[in-house]
Amino acid sequence: MNRMLAAFCALAASVIAASGLVTHARAEPVHAIAMHGEPALPADFSHLPYVNPDAPKGGRIAYGVVGSFDSVRPFIVRSMRTSARGVVDPEYGNLIYETLMQRSQDEPFTLYGLLAESVEWDDQRSFIQYNLNPLARWSDGKPVTADDVIFTMELLRDKGRPPYSTRLNRVAKMEKISDLSVRFTFNESSNREFPLILSLSPVLPKHATDAENFDQSTLEPGIGSGPYLISEIKPGERITFSRRPDYWAKDLPIKRGLDNYDEIVVEYFLSETSQFEAFKKGVFDVYPDGSATNWTRGYDFPAVDNGDIIREEYDRRTPSGMYGFVFNTRRPIFADVRVRRALTMMFDFEWANRSLYDNTYKRTHSFWDGSELSSYGKTADAREREILNPFPDAVSADIMDGTWTLPVSDGSGRDRKISRAALTLLQEAGYRIDSGRLVDPSGKPFSFALMTQNEGQEKLAVAYQRSLAALGIEMAIRTVDDAQYQQRSQTFDYDMIMKAFTSSLSPGTEQLGRWGSASRDHEGSFNFAGVASPAVDAAIDALLNARTAEDFRSAVRAYDRVLLSGYYVIPTFHLGKAWMAHRSRIVGPEGDPPLYGYYLPAWWDRTANP
């Protein structure tokens, strides 16, 4: 009997194989997926908790940004830094091209269905299947299909830029299950986060995309599935988006209370100074202010006095990120960690914070400062030590046991105690003082150049330059325009650069491009420091494959310790609050903002008709 049953099963399998039908074990379709734990909102949720579902539709908003643009195609290398904002945009919303799923701003890393009405996956996350919403439509009225998804993935693999171009590297098989379903089976290089990253992929219309010329910059408005159309383009100056009256998803719970303006304008400016002056004059409506000096001293003008501009402060609930001076360790002068540590000691935070910023900032001691993911002040736990044991020299003892801290100066800008300690490290690395200058064993002066982008960076750079001069170190400051800054950043053409590394409560695959060995020599990556460390790679792998929240926290802390011990960045400071100035007619939902801070796509024009 058993032999007969086996023979029947074999015959059935051969018939199915010969027919060409694709069969898979079905997983239970779900409306949302989370990196760790379960989604907070049930399948029948009515709207996101941080929106006003009854927000009026209409009116307009204008945003202002520094830079320029020569393309409305954000997925290719040629427009990586000069693509129009808003087409696909984490800050203003994905106005033209939408993603398979949408991220909740009130959970560490949870995605809810958008183009994909539901998804299926297994506990091992060995595959994910997207079941598209049958209502989804392109702006020309044609349906969004599985063929569009497959076409997009292949097109971005062949002609896109990182990270889009590398996503299929982790896919063993991509299959069309039906007109509205597509399944991705992952290979051994995948990890537990990757299905969520893949779910944030945009989808392009196969029938309306010029595949042959896709890698060329263009100002030709494209057909998308998003809530807006491009209605006007002034290259390098302005782009205007107009609402689609037939937007397919306007009544979905995930979109209720969002996309509230009839018109969205993005204005471009050559510098932060001209940007702020334009805001004062009413050229645009919302100004997220990241300058302590400007926030304290810059709002003495009539629009503030008469209430036309409102200033608001929000407590931050997310990690600080890391802003600082980045060493290009590809340069021999910065290859020795003792040199990097000595130069880190020479940044006088106390003087800069008092003299330049009215004591507004907090010193940054971790890439995840202000959150439970930070290692600062904490002893490594057993799981962290397990991750780091194969690399005994990767983390210094004081960072491992939680006693490490950055030096606190006397605020003079020339604390001799700190200077002596830094000089000792430099002497250990082979340098000496000769006629007031720091020189290497051959007598060559220790000198390098810092590339800056704007007046704010230059002001801080001058303060650091002054401190280094006390040790006979010559640091030249080179302030370049935005286009040159971006081009040289992409090709690693600098000794030192100032950069901000954002951080979240769910660091993941993006860390490979920032600090992973494989990205060190990949032009266009964000590995500005030129890091290639087995310990860094192991820590990233641990956080990507953590199954529980506890293991994830330990992995990130271990990773934090390795980065801090490497002294790849001179930490400067961060704000404990977010600052926002906006026109009084632009308002947001009442109550506390979501976990990741105020969310501009949920705001509206209160003068619009209800």
Side-chain angles (χ1 to χ4, degrees):
M1 184 69 179
N2 288 340
R3 283 195 296 271
M4 291 178 62
L5 180 59
F8 175 78
C9 290
L11 176 62
S14 66
V15 170
I16 291 174
S19 71
L21 296 176
V22 177
T23 61
H24 292 287
R26 294 281 294 181
E28 186 69 25
V30 293
H31 72 293
I33 53 178
M35 182 62 194
H36 299 108
E38 297 296 325
L41 303 179
D44 61 350
F45 76 98
S46 61
H47 61 84
L48 295 165
Y50 47 86
V51 308
N52 174 6
D54 300 316
K57 304 292 185 181
R60 73 187 296 273
I61 189 170
Y63 298 116
V65 298
V66 174
S68 183
F69 72 94
D70 59 12
S71 177
V72 294
R73 189 172 286 164
F75 313 112
I76 62 174
V77 172
R78 290 194 177 187
S79 60
M80 187 171 181
R81 302 292 183 184
T82 57
S83 179
R85 294 287 304 273
V87 176
V88 171
D89 200 295
E91 186 175 5
Y92 304 150
N94 297 335
L95 306 183
I96 303 298
Y97 299 110
E98 294 183 304
T99 52
L100 290 161
M101 306 190 80
Q102 180 168 309
R103 187 168 187 167
S104 168
Q105 299 297 307
D106 208 33
E107 302 173 59
F109 196 5
T110 298
L111 307 179
Y112 293 86
L114 182 55
L115 285 175
E117 184 177 43
S118 67
V119 299
E120 304 171 32
W121 65 349
D122 60 348
D123 185 60
Q124 290 73 37
R125 304 188 183 181
S126 65
F127 74 89
I128 190 166
Q129 178 172 315
Y130 301 103
N131 304 313
L132 300 179
N133 193 314
L135 299 177
R137 292 291 185 276
W138 300 109
S139 54
D140 63 359
K142 294 184 181 297
V144 180
T145 68
D147 288 330
D148 293 317
V149 177
I150 293 171
F151 166 79
T152 300
M153 294 296 178
E154 292 176 339
L155 180 63
L156 295 180
R157 175 197 62 197
D158 298 337
K159 296 196 173 184
R161 66 167 176 85
Y164 305 112
S165 61
T166 60
R167 286 183 177 166
L168 286 185
N169 292 352
R170 300 177 186 273
V171 175
K173 185 165 52 175
M174 178 170 58
E175 302 168 274
K176 177 181 176 181
I177 304 302
S178 71
D179 286 345
L180 293 178
S181 293
V182 59
R183 175 179 288 221
F184 295 82
T185 303
F186 305 122
N187 59 32
E188 65 282 353
S189 68
S190 185
N191 53 62
R192 293 188 63 77
E193 187 199 39
F194 182 67
L196 285 84
I197 298 299
L198 188 68
S199 302
L200 292 173
S201 296
V203 180
L204 308 177
K206 180 179 180 179
H207 69 281
T209 301
D210 180 2
E212 182 177 351
N213 297 305
F214 185 76
D215 54 356
Q216 304 299 310
S217 297
T218 182
L219 291 173
E220 183 74 24
I223 289 174
S225 63
Y228 289 84
L229 298 171
I230 296 175
S231 55
E232 183 183 23
I233 295 175
K234 290 192 174 180
E237 297 180 18
R238 180 185 307 112
I239 182 168
T240 302
F241 301 88
S242 297
R243 181 204 301 282
R244 277 180 60 187
D246 60 344
Y247 176 47
W248 71 274
K250 63 180 183 296
D251 295 322
L252 291 185
I254 191 67
K255 297 294 279 185
R256 193 167 294 142
L258 302 179
D259 312 316
N260 297 317
Y261 307 102
D262 281 347
E263 183 177 86
I264 297 175
V265 179
V266 183
E267 300 276 357
Y268 286 77
F269 302 94
L270 295 178
S271 68
E272 291 182 356
T273 300
S274 60
Q275 178 194 25
F276 187 63
E277 288 302 314
F279 174 68
K280 291 164 63 174
K281 295 174 181 176
V283 176
F284 63 97
D285 302 313
V286 174
Y287 189 77
D289 200 330
S291 167
T293 302
N294 196 62
W295 187 252
T296 304
R297 307 175 185 175
Y299 289 84
D300 184 15
F301 55 93
V304 177
D305 297 336
N306 64 27
D308 184 46
I309 287 180
I310 306 297
R311 302 170 71 212
E312 298 191 62
E313 295 187 353
Y314 304 89
D315 290 329
R316 290 189 183 274
R317 300 164 60 196
T318 54
S320 63
M322 178 64 73
Y323 174 61
F325 303 88
V326 182
F327 298 101
N328 186 354
T329 62
R330 303 171 186 86
R331 299 286 203 258
I333 195 173
F334 295 137
D336 193 320
V337 68
R338 293 170 296 186
V339 171
R340 303 196 299 270
R341 182 178 179 184
L343 268 62
T344 298
M345 295 170 64
M346 291 301 294
F347 174 68
D348 193 332
F349 165 75
E350 285 70 30
W351 183 91
N353 196 34
R354 186 193 72 245
S355 303
L356 303 179
Y357 307 115
D358 300 316
N359 286 317
T360 303
Y361 288 108
K362 297 180 179 180
R363 187 74 195 267
T364 304
H365 290 91
S366 163
F367 285 78
W368 285 271
D369 217 333
S371 78
E372 67 170 8
L373 300 180
S374 170
S375 67
Y376 180 65
K378 305 178 182 74
T379 302
D381 62 28
R383 174 60 181 140
E384 290 180 70
R385 294 181 184 277
E386 181 184 347
I387 294 168
L388 297 172
N389 274 342
F391 316 99
D393 299 324
V395 177
S396 61
D398 55 349
I399 290 179
M400 185 69 85
D401 64 24
T403 60
W404 170 85
T405 190
L406 291 164
V408 177
S409 79
D410 59 13
S412 66
R414 295 199 175 191
D415 189 312
R416 293 185 177 181
K417 182 179 180 181
I418 293 175
S419 295
R420 285 194 297 270
L423 180 58
T424 298
L425 281 172
L426 290 167
Q427 290 171 333
E428 291 175 4
Y431 292 91
R432 71 181 193 278
I433 298 291
D434 183 6
S435 301
R437 303 181 73 182
L438 189 72
V439 299
D440 68 12
S442 69
K444 180 180 179 181
F446 190 109
S447 63
F448 65 93
L450 167 66
M451 185 171 70
T452 57
Q453 187 178 17
N454 52 51
E455 295 175 3
Q457 290 183 356
E458 188 174 333
K459 179 171 66 174
L460 186 60
V462 169
Y464 184 46
Q465 182 187 53
R466 175 176 176 268
S467 295
L468 292 179
L471 281 184
I473 295 173
E474 179 183 347
M475 183 185 81
I477 300 172
R478 306 278 189 258
T479 300
V480 300
D481 62 32
D482 184 70
Q484 185 178 168
Y485 187 89
Q486 300 300 348
Q487 192 275 332
R488 291 180 62 181
S489 295
Q490 291 180 60
T491 57
F492 314 125
D493 181 19
Y494 49 84
D495 298 331
M496 179 182 280
I497 196 171
M498 298 188 73
K499 285 290 181 181
F501 298 91
T502 58
S503 60
S504 72
L505 294 170
S506 60
T509 303
E510 79 284 350
Q511 302 299 318
L512 293 167
R514 293 182 181 183
W515 308 102
S517 297
S519 65
R520 181 185 187 274
D521 299 317
H522 194 296
E523 289 191 1
S525 81
F526 299 103
N527 194 338
F528 300 112
V531 176
S533 162
V536 167
D537 295 339
I540 295 175
D541 184 68
L543 70 89
L544 289 177
N545 289 289
R547 284 180 169 260
T548 68
E550 293 74 19
D551 282 350
F552 179 71
R553 181 186 61 202
S554 295
V556 177
R557 287 181 181 176
Y559 180 42
D560 191 30
R561 295 182 203 275
V562 176
L563 292 178
L564 292 171
S565 297
Y567 289 93
Y568 302 114
V569 181
I570 300 174
T572 56
F573 41 68
H574 64 276
L575 293 169
K577 294 182 178 293
W579 297 322
M580 163 71 81
H582 60 89
R583 302 285 155 187
S584 59
R585 66 180 180 82
I586 303 296
V587 296
E590 294 182 358
D592 293 331
L595 179 63
Y596 281 100
Y598 59 80
Y599 187 52
L600 291 175
W603 290 41
W604 64 90
D605 183 343
R606 65 181 177 85
T607 65
N609 294 325

